[in-house]
Amino acid sequence: MGFKFDKNSYRIYAKNRLKTIARLRAKCYSYKLHKTFLNLLDDLKIKNILIFTPLFYEPDFLKLRPRLAKKYNILLPFMVDKSLKMVKLRLPFKISKFNVREANDSNAFLKRIDLAVIPVIGVDGSMARIGHGMGYYDKFISNLGYRPKILFVQIEDFYIKEKICDSHDITCDFYITPKRNYIRVNNDRDFDRLRSRSCRCWRRIRSR
């Protein structure tokens, strides 16, 4: 790209691109992410997973529900005021005020999660999230009182090497896309282990 972005302008640029891409191949790209996601779950050896109900330009991991339910507790975010809480994945869904499908509020989950899978609009050079600008996930992760592993997912690679996010924006441990995957590492053993489990391209981002 021949010019510099701030966070808001990059959000607008990436979101418009995502909507265009989604009309052509979002469903196909979601499937390409599934294998990488499942391999990562096996490597992390976890139990409680927070995923999400996708918008039309976000990858759909709910299609993996029958397979995931055999090994993991699957949870979904539920919007409360300007933050989120966790509920168990139970059908039927209802439609929230932001036109997002949600599970029933009565199935609250109060235990610790091991992994939070979060959609993004973009990711900056600190592996920080560019979202929709509402701050729901930032508040949710901040209020947990602990930090689970965090995985960002997207149907296109919108990593930007410049650091354009704010200090309160959540950062991830992994960012996966159909074309390239990113891992924030302290040492190369984590990186080498993941590469050995998948033929997809992984790129190191050093922890700072």
Side-chain angles (χ1 to χ4, degrees), residues 19-35:
K19 289 180 177 179
T20 300
I21 292 165
R23 294 187 184 98
L24 301 174
R25 54 185 188 269
K27 187 176 294 184
C28 173
Y29 273 17
S30 284
Y31 287 127
K32 288 183 178 180
L33 290 167
H34 289 176
K35 182 178 179 181

Side-chain angles (χ1 to χ4, degrees), residues 8-19:
N8 190 54
S9 62
Y10 193 67
R11 176 188 291 118
I12 295 170
Y13 162 79
K15 193 171 183 177
N16 288 336
R17 285 284 311 279
L18 282 173
K19 289 180 177 179

Side-chain angles (χ1 to χ4, degrees), residues 1 27 48-49 51 65 68 83 95 106 133 154 168 186-187:
M1 300 172 190
K27 187 176 294 184
N48 300 320
I49 307 170
I51 59 175
R65 181 191 176 200
L68 294 176
S83 187
I95 305 300
S106 64
Q154 195 169 23
H168 63 263
N186 292 310
N187 59 69

Side-chain angles (χ1 to χ4, degrees), residues 135-199:
Y136 281 88
Y137 277 106
D138 299 318
K139 295 182 181 72
F140 167 69
I141 296 295
S142 177
N143 291 336
L144 279 179
Y146 64 93
R147 190 186 185 280
K149 292 287 187 182
I150 296 176
L151 168 64
F152 292 162
V153 296
Q154 195 169 23
I155 62 168
E156 184 73 3
D157 182 355
F158 279 112
Y159 174 82
I160 182 171
K161 66 181 181 179
E162 288 79 16
K163 299 177 185 178
I164 59 175
C165 288
D166 301 311
S167 60
H168 63 263
D169 292 318
I170 57 173
T171 59
C172 69
D173 301 287
F174 312 97
Y175 169 41
I176 64 174
T177 76
K179 295 180 180 178
R180 172 171 279 182
N181 307 311
Y182 301 79
I183 176 175
R184 189 170 60 170
V185 296
N186 292 310
N187 59 69
D188 288 336
R189 285 181 296 177
D190 297 332
F191 175 75
D192 292 338
R193 184 175 67 252
L194 281 178
R195 279 186 62 90
S196 70
R197 294 188 58 83
S198 173
C199 63

Side-chain angles (χ1 to χ4, degrees), residues 37-46 71-72 197:
F37 177 58
L38 292 170
N39 282 341
L40 183 59
L41 292 185
D42 287 341
D43 190 72
L44 293 177
K45 303 185 187 306
I46 60 179
K71 297 177 64 175
Y72 309 103
R197 294 188 58 83

